[in-house]
Amino acid sequence: MADITRRLGWRHLRGAPTAHIRHHRDGRLLHDGPGLSFWFRALTAALSEVPVDDRELAMTFHARTSDFQDVTVQATVTYRISDPALAAARLDFSVDPDTGVWRGSPLEQLGTLLTETAQQHALDVLARTPLSSALVDGVAAVRERVAAGLGGEPRLPATGIEVVAVRVMALRPEPEVERALRTPAREQIQQEADRATYERRAVAVERERAIAENELASQIELARREEQLVEQRGTNSRREAEEHAAADAVRAEAEAARTVKLAEAEATRSVRLARAEAEGARETGEARAQAQAAWLRVHAEVDVATLNALTGTRLAENLPHIDSVTVSPDVLTGLLARLGHGESA
């Protein structure tokens, strides 16, 4: 939209670089070009503003395929006004000299023209295409057909319009049909996922089985080695017991031989000792007998008084030791009396 200011009955217009301004007065073209700036009188000026930049026109329309299925087409057409003078002559791009606003709706007219033309070519190509093919290749087919149709449409160059690009973003069936079409694909994807899950589980089970077999083989090998160890320990214990038994037997034989030798030596020594003791006893007896015989011979030859004296001496030798003797008068009198009788006798 042009920028218009007021000054004392005059108007000043300042256009944008992307807007082509045409100024007529009394049927004569005074200003023509983009990005102009000039003064004018509102009562005598006829102004038009034609945008010359690239514009995007989004369109959505419904179509029906050859198998009578409704689809929705979403597309975008990029266009520009390549001939502003021709476009201003064919469409109403005039602006209000006081506000700079378009008096009509020229861009809506262009949008309607482009939409109807594109829709006509899209419907034509989809009407001969089944839904399955349209969903697979319909986007490219519709884009090519619409681009070719808009490029060959004579009304667009006659209006000064140039189509820059055509894009088709989506071609979708009705929600119920789309869900029905998605179901087999989803089931197939789910089946693939389930098969992958089962294969992963089978691999895991196989690995677990291999691990269990390895553990079992390890346990069997360990048990076998333990059995060998037990057998070896038994063999070692048996050998050790046999060696101990042999050593004990040798030791017992040695001990028995030593005991026999000691017993024989002890017996020999006892016999010798007994013989020595018997010989000593015999000799002692003989010596005692000889002494007794000598003693008897001596006593036989001695008189009675000497024998009494010897008897008293032997008796005195066998008496206990007497430290002191107390003689009472009665005892002394008796002893003296006995001594007296003895002397008289």
Side-chain angles (χ1 to χ4, degrees):
M1 184 179 66
D3 184 12
I4 298 177
T5 58
R6 301 178 184 183
R7 292 291 187 275
L8 299 175
W10 287 83
R11 304 288 187 272
H12 183 270
L13 183 145
R14 183 174 63 238
T18 58
H20 189 96
I21 304 297
R22 293 174 62 85
H23 175 208
H24 291 81
R25 187 178 61 186
D26 296 334
R28 291 184 295 111
L29 182 63
L30 300 180
H31 299 92
D32 185 16
L36 299 179
S37 179
F38 55 87
W39 292 90
F40 67 93
R41 286 184 176 274
L43 296 178
T44 59
L47 302 173
S48 62
E49 180 183 8
V50 181
V52 293
D53 58 337
D54 291 348
R55 291 183 173 266
E56 303 284 344
L57 176 62
M59 57 185 69
T60 300
F61 52 87
H62 296 278
R64 179 171 292 182
T65 61
S66 61
D67 49 359
F68 304 100
Q69 298 296 325
D70 292 336
V71 294
T72 301
V73 181
Q74 294 179 355
T76 300
V77 175
T78 303
Y79 70 95
R80 72 166 66 97
I81 299 176
S82 59
D83 191 346
L86 184 59
R90 299 295 301 270
L91 299 174
D92 185 11
F93 283 96
S94 63
V95 296
D96 191 316
D98 292 328
T99 61
V101 178
W102 279 317
R103 296 179 184 275
S105 302
L107 296 182
E108 293 183 2
Q109 295 177 5
L110 283 178
T112 301
L113 175 61
L114 291 172
T115 300
E116 290 179 352
T117 304
Q119 184 175 0
Q120 177 182 358
H121 292 287
L123 293 176
D124 187 31
V125 68
L126 290 175
R128 293 191 298 270
T129 305
L131 179 61
S132 58
S133 300
L135 294 178
V136 175
D137 302 323
V139 173
V142 171
R143 181 179 64 250
E144 293 175 359
R145 182 61 180 274
V146 171
L150 291 176
E153 179 64 32
R155 292 180 58 188
L156 298 180
T159 313
I161 299 173
E162 178 185 358
V163 177
V164 178
V166 176
R167 299 189 302 277
V168 178
M169 279 75 69
L171 196 153
R172 294 180 177 177
E174 293 182 346
E176 295 80 4
V177 177
E178 187 173 6
R179 283 193 297 269
L181 294 175
R182 286 179 179 177
T183 300
R186 288 183 176 179
E187 291 180 354
Q188 184 177 1
I189 294 172
Q190 186 63 39
Q191 291 176 0
E192 294 292 335
D194 293 340
R195 183 167 58 254
T197 302
Y198 296 151
E199 291 178 355
R200 185 171 62 254
R201 290 180 179 176
V203 171
V205 170
E206 182 66 21
R207 290 180 179 176
E208 291 180 356
R209 185 184 63 78
I211 293 173
E213 289 181 354
N214 292 334
E215 292 179 352
L216 182 59
S218 299
Q219 292 178 0
I220 293 173
E221 181 64 20
L222 181 60
R224 186 179 63 80
R225 293 185 179 182
E226 288 180 353
E227 183 180 359
Q228 293 178 355
L229 179 60
V230 170
E231 292 179 356
Q232 187 63 36
R233 286 179 177 176
T235 303
N236 295 338
S237 299
R238 185 170 60 254
R239 290 179 180 176
E240 185 177 359
E242 291 176 354
E243 291 177 359
H244 284 308
D248 291 340
V250 172
R251 189 166 47 250
E253 291 178 358
E255 185 68 24
R258 188 175 63 85
T259 303
V260 170
K261 291 181 180 180
L262 290 177
E264 291 178 353
E266 184 66 25
T268 303
R269 188 177 65 83
S270 299
V271 170
R272 291 179 180 177
L273 182 60
R275 290 178 180 177
E277 288 180 354
E279 185 66 24
R282 185 180 60 76
E283 293 178 356
T284 302
E286 290 178 354
R288 286 181 180 178
Q290 292 176 3
Q292 186 70 25
W295 184 77
L296 290 175
R297 284 195 303 270
V298 170
H299 283 77
E301 295 177 355
V302 177
D303 54 2
V304 176
T306 302
L307 291 174
N308 290 333
L310 291 173
T311 301
T313 302
R314 294 294 299 275
L315 179 62
E317 291 177 355
N318 294 324
L319 290 175
H321 180 71
I322 300 173
D323 293 330
S324 63
V325 177
T326 303
V327 180
S328 64
D330 296 335
V331 175
L332 183 58
T333 303
L335 288 175
L336 290 177
R338 290 180 180 180
L339 285 175
H341 289 296
E343 290 180 354
S344 60

